[in-house]
Amino acid sequence: MVADVLVVVEGDGYEVKKMELEIRKLEGDEMEFVLSDSNPAFANALRRAAMREVPVIAIDEVEFNANDSAMYDEILAHRLALVPIRTPLKGYALPGECGCREGRCPKCSVSLTLKREGPATALSGDLKSTDEGVVPVSGSVPIIKLEKGQRLELTAIARLGFGKEHAKWQPGVVAYKYIPVFELNEKACNGCGACVKACPVNVIELVGKKPKISDIMLCTMCKACAEACPPKAIRIGSDPTKFFFRVESSGALPPGQILLKAMGALGDKLDEFSKRVKKL
Ligand SMILES: [Zn+2]
């Protein structure tokens, strides 16, 4: 469990608020956590920052030396751009920030070459990079099927970029839902068990003739239980201060890093905002 101190704007001023972040799952490219003592504005800002403001490397330019395949150069370039590429945490500058004019120097770009002749299927694993830390996350993404004698030869330039510019630079998918709240009017409930039968995800059980939720996180808030209850004793609501987040990385960055960098990006924006406000 991790606790963090964050600054939020509430009403007319600023308030230092303690939000809690409980990691429930962290396996490979997937992460699930619960954010508590927060609010919908902050949860959504975090989600948007994670998908739009965290830079990752993607193929941005492709030079074709030969393309005898059935696909146009533009379609192949688009496919290549969507191949997730591992992004080292440090080492590359954003184009425009390294000082070179074309965005092709070794500080801000990586070159990947592909050479294949049919009959074969050109795969992402056929891309040979100039940096062994900047390679496709998976080597088995099919790019194009080549018939006998067809050649594909290209050089791809990969650069850092932001998801807000193009989806190819999105580090993954970040989504959240409100934590459901199951309210039971104990006086009205007659213990008939209709809610148990109605629940499509089977999270309600009868304990001492009263319905109880076994795992609230599995509740999809479909309200089938409330509708099925003859005395209308159930109300399904949501807690606006508690959010269940799910981060699914493309593999470019570990999910924890996506989250940390998103928080950093939000912090930088607030710092910048505060500097500008002071100048007024
Ligand atoms: Zn450069």
Side-chain angles (χ1 to χ4, degrees), residues 160-175:
L160 275 176
F162 292 96
K164 63 185 172 187
E165 292 167 36
H166 194 286
K168 68 185 174 185
W169 282 307
Q170 208 170 286
V173 178
V174 181

Side-chain angles (χ1 to χ4, degrees), residues 112-131:
L112 298 107
T113 49
L114 187 150
K115 207 172 174 181
R116 207 72 221 262
E117 190 170 335
T121 299
L123 302 171
S124 53
D126 295 323
L127 286 160
K128 302 292 169 230
S129 174
T130 50
D131 180 344

Side-chain angles (χ1 to χ4, degrees), residues 192-200 202-206 211-212 225 228 234:
C192 69
C195 52
V196 178
K197 283 185 200 142
C199 179
N202 300 319
V203 288
I204 311 178
E205 57 194 17
L206 282 186
K212 279 244 160 65
C225 54
I234 297 172

